Structure formats: structure tokens, C-alpha cells
Amino acid sequence: MQSIQTSFENLRKDFPILRRTVRDNKTLVYLDNASTTQKPNQVIDAINDYYRNHNANIHRAVYALAEEATELYEATRDKVANFIHVKNREEIIFVRGTTEAINLVAYAWGRTHIKKDDIIVTTEYEHHSNIVPWQLLTQEKGAKLEYIGMDDNGELILDDLDKYLATGKVKLVTFSLMSNVLGTITDAKKIISKCKEHGVLTLVDGAQAVPHMPVNLETLGCDFFAFSGHKMLGPTGIGILWVRKSILETMNPFHGGGDMIREVHKYETTWNDLPYKFEAGTPNIADVIGFGAAIDYLTKLGMNNVREHEIELTKYAIEKLSQVKGLTIYGTKDISKRGGVISFNFADVHPHDVAQIIDEEGIAVRSGHHCAQVLMERLNVAATSRASFYIYNTIEEVDALINSLNKVARIFKL
């Protein structure tokens, strides 16, 4: 049977940057996809077409260009709804990214509903974007921020959640569907089910999950969901916040001005209909349209195929990396419970040194704390190296990574 890897190799031609060479004519091997993904011609062309042929502000005029721009912009909202299986397009809010989406919830929902001594629960493997807004909110309100711990396998200890829920003070549980460092896929349905039993709302950070696997919000059952376009072939500066309509209707606006109003008088204002109540000012029109092209691209590939491709690639990478003497891989080895993210440390070589040396071979990986210093403290390390895969990566690129690590070993005499 033909490998899904082989069938995906042909799509590399759609990504012009992959033909680049770097560092003295080395072939680029891009393995920093958890940070941001590369863009296919289809996305680049969609943005170019908007500026060349349809550039106008949206929702505000009846001339041809404005109508065309509005139609293209709003078509992306429908594409997003279909992609994550949401029936009501009014629940889809365009934001700048996952970070802004979470901050919007903390501000527009949290500042109304969180009171003194309430508890917000998150996890030890969260990105800073799903920690700092809740620190700010709980400090302001005199509430508490608590953490679900994780075991040495990189999986959450849900007994911690049970303990917090039993207090009757938890108002929100917020967690990532996939860790950006460990690749751990959270048992979201189990967490959400426990929260529903106690009448507790849930927010899911889907930034790492939505690009890599099928996500169905109808069956997931959370109350808030956020993700970013640039991690799934789309442009930077565009993300999605989904909120259950019954909750969204109770939330105050996040920003004021522009298209979020219905009427403005000297001393009072009435708000626009959903979702525009939360989309103030001139939006990022071109990049929303580009994001629509990215969704079209992934839809055509099929998210089950995307997931299968990454399972095959990550399994191979873990097997090969595990054979490198002195290399420590973090997170579960159970490939069914992790995405295409592998964080590691190599003996006592600092991750920045590892990244710099393999960059000389054209290999691009991330080094540092990955905006997850709470997790770094739990792992008792200052930083890690991280290789993360996407649809255009290949087995040969994993081999190139292994070969570059052998160079690190020679330099440091490991």
C-alpha cells in the first residue's frame, strides 16, 4: 500500500519557500511548524488577488468593489464554520490570533463573571497566552488560578481537576487541545464532561490541534474555542474565537468603535448584531481572505490524511531520535496521544547551541522555552530544542535532522 508520505510529497511544489537555499547553499529543512507554517501559492495568490482586484472596505458601501470584498471576507466565516463543524456562523469571531481570542474572553466574559475567591483552572503545559490573561484577571478580582499537574509521561493528572471541581468554586477550566512543547493531545472530552457535571464552562486553546487533526466542536462540547490561521498555512494576524451563542449574547464588547456599533449618540451606544459586535474597526480583510484559501487547501487534503501523515512522520522521527546517544525526548512515546511536535535536549549542550549548529546545515528548529516556562519548570530544564512537522515535511528531512545532530555530537565530543 502506498505510504501517505509518498502521496503528500507532490504538494511541496505548492510552497515556493521550500525551494530556497540557506547558509552557503544548503537546502532548507523547515521544522518549526508549531511556531508558524509556510504558505502555499494558493494562499499567496488569494491575498494578491484581493489587493489587485477587490481592495475596498467591507460592510459599508454598495459599490462593486466593496460588495466583492465583503463577499470574499464573509465566505471565510462560512468556511471556518464548516471546517470546525459549527452550525451558527454568528458564533465565529475574527481576531488577530489565539492570544487575542483568549484575552477577549478574559476581558469580555471574565470581568463580568469572575468574582472574589472564584477559581480558574488551567494546566502545567499551557502556552503563556493561556496563563497570563488569567493571572491578570484573577489578581484583579481576588480570585485564584490553579493548575492541573502532569505526570512524567507528559499527560495530565485529572485527579487534580476533580479536587478543584469538588470545591464548587471553579468558574472556568481552560486548556490546550495539544501541547505546543510535548505534543500531548489532551483528553478534552473527559475534561469537558467532568466540567459539565459541575456546571463549569470550558475554553479550549486549539492553536496546535486544528492544523493537524479533525476537530468537531459539535461533539467536543466546549464553550469557548480559539485558534490561529498562521499555524495552518494561513497568514499571520488572523485567528478565530468561537463562543457558544447563549454565552456570546451576554458578553460586553472587547473593543469599541467602527463596525461593532448599531447607533452612537452623545451619551449612549447600541451594539451591532453578532458577530460584528466583537469586530471593531477595519478588519484584516486580505488575510481573512487568504485564510479562506488555506482552509480550502486543507479541506481538499482532508484532515484525516493530515493526521495520518504526521503520525507516520512523528513515529519515524521518535524511533530515530531515540537511537541518538545522550538525547532526551520529552512527552509520551504513545503516538496516538501526541501530535507532530518533538522537544528534546542533547546531553548538556544548550538548545541554542544545538539550533545554531544544525542551522549551518539548513535545518530550522526552535530552541528556548517555547512560551511555556511553567512547563519548563515542571521538567526542571531552562529550555529545549523542538522539531515540529507539517504536511510538506518528509522522511528524508527527518534523516537530515539526525545527520545534523551527529555533527553536534562530533563538535562537543559526545
Side-chain angles (χ1 to χ4, degrees), residues 236-252:
T236 55
I238 176 62
I240 300 298
L241 173 64
W242 171 85
V243 183
R244 197 176 300 282
K245 187 177 181 181
S246 59
I247 300 171
L248 198 57
E249 289 175 330
T250 69
M251 291 167 54
N252 291 321

Side-chain angles (χ1 to χ4, degrees), residues 118-405:
D118 285 345
I119 296 174
I120 295 174
V121 178
T122 188
T123 87
E124 285 188 328
Y125 59 46
E126 295 306 306
H127 190 281
H128 295 163
S129 294
N130 204 22
I131 293 176
V132 177
W134 310 117
Q135 289 179 340
L136 292 171
L137 179 61
T138 52
Q139 289 165 8
E140 175 185 325
K141 295 293 185 177
K144 295 180 180 179
L145 181 62
E146 302 285 5
Y147 289 84
I148 301 172
M150 70 171 202
D151 61 23
D152 292 338
N153 205 33
E155 297 182 59
L156 295 180
I157 303 170
L158 294 188
D159 287 349
D160 290 350
L161 175 60
D162 293 335
K163 177 183 65 177
Y164 299 133
L165 291 174
T167 67
K169 295 182 178 181
V170 178
K171 293 296 187 293
L172 179 73
V173 174
T174 178
F175 60 92
S176 57
L177 191 50
M178 182 194 297
S179 166
N180 74 310
V181 176
L182 304 173
T184 305
I185 299 172
T186 306
D187 191 345
K189 289 186 178 181
K190 190 169 185 178
I191 291 175
I192 293 167
S193 177
K194 287 175 178 288
C195 290
K196 284 184 181 296
E197 291 175 4
H198 290 81
V200 173
L201 300 185
T202 49
L203 183 153
V204 177
D205 173 353
Q208 295 296 331
V210 174
H212 302 281
M213 64 182 68
V215 172
N216 187 326
L217 295 196
E218 284 184 357
T219 59
L220 191 62
C222 61
D223 301 290
F224 307 92
F225 191 91
F227 61 102
S228 298
H230 72 99
K231 296 182 188 293
M232 50 188 293
L233 307 181
T236 55
I238 176 62
I240 300 298
L241 173 64
W242 171 85
V243 183
R244 197 176 300 282
K245 187 177 181 181
S246 59
I247 300 171
L248 198 57
E249 289 175 330
T250 69
M251 291 167 54
N252 291 321
F254 184 38
H255 294 136
D259 210 28
M260 53 76 66
I261 60 93
R262 183 180 299 281
E263 292 184 358
V264 176
H265 304 284
K266 278 189 175 180
Y267 302 110
E268 63 180 20
T269 297
T270 55
W271 313 130
N272 202 347
D273 296 332
L274 297 175
Y276 310 113
K277 173 182 172 183
F278 295 95
E279 294 180 3
T282 298
N284 190 356
I285 303 168
D287 289 336
V288 167
I289 293 168
F291 184 37
I295 292 174
D296 289 340
Y297 193 99
L298 290 172
T299 300
K300 185 176 180 180
L301 279 181
M303 293 309 296
N304 284 315
N305 291 328
V306 171
R307 174 65 178 146
E308 185 180 346
H309 169 83
E310 290 191 16
I311 286 175
E312 187 175 336
L313 196 62
T314 307
K315 181 179 179 180
Y316 179 84
I318 289 176
E319 288 174 354
K320 290 295 184 180
L321 288 168
S322 297
Q323 297 169 15
V324 177
K325 183 181 178 182
L327 192 140
T328 301
I329 298 174
Y330 300 100
T332 179
K333 299 291 179 67
D334 185 344
I335 199 65
S336 69
K337 294 182 179 181
R338 71 179 298 155
V341 179
I342 302 176
S343 289
F344 59 90
N345 270 311
F346 197 4
D348 59 354
V349 183
H350 195 282
H352 291 320
D353 292 329
V354 172
Q356 187 171 4
I357 291 168
I358 68 176
D359 173 58
E360 294 171 358
E361 303 303 311
I363 316 292
V365 300
R366 182 56 61 98
S367 62
H369 55 65
H370 316 296
C371 297
Q373 287 181 287
V374 171
L375 174 58
M376 295 296 117
E377 290 174 358
R378 169 62 180 83
L379 296 175
N380 196 30
V381 297
T384 69
S385 299
R386 183 185 69 187
S388 50
F389 309 118
Y390 206 36
I391 56 175
Y392 36 69
N393 291 126
T394 66
I395 293 294
E396 289 75 18
E397 290 182 318
V398 175
D399 290 338
L401 171 64
I402 301 300
N403 290 336
S404 70
L405 290 173

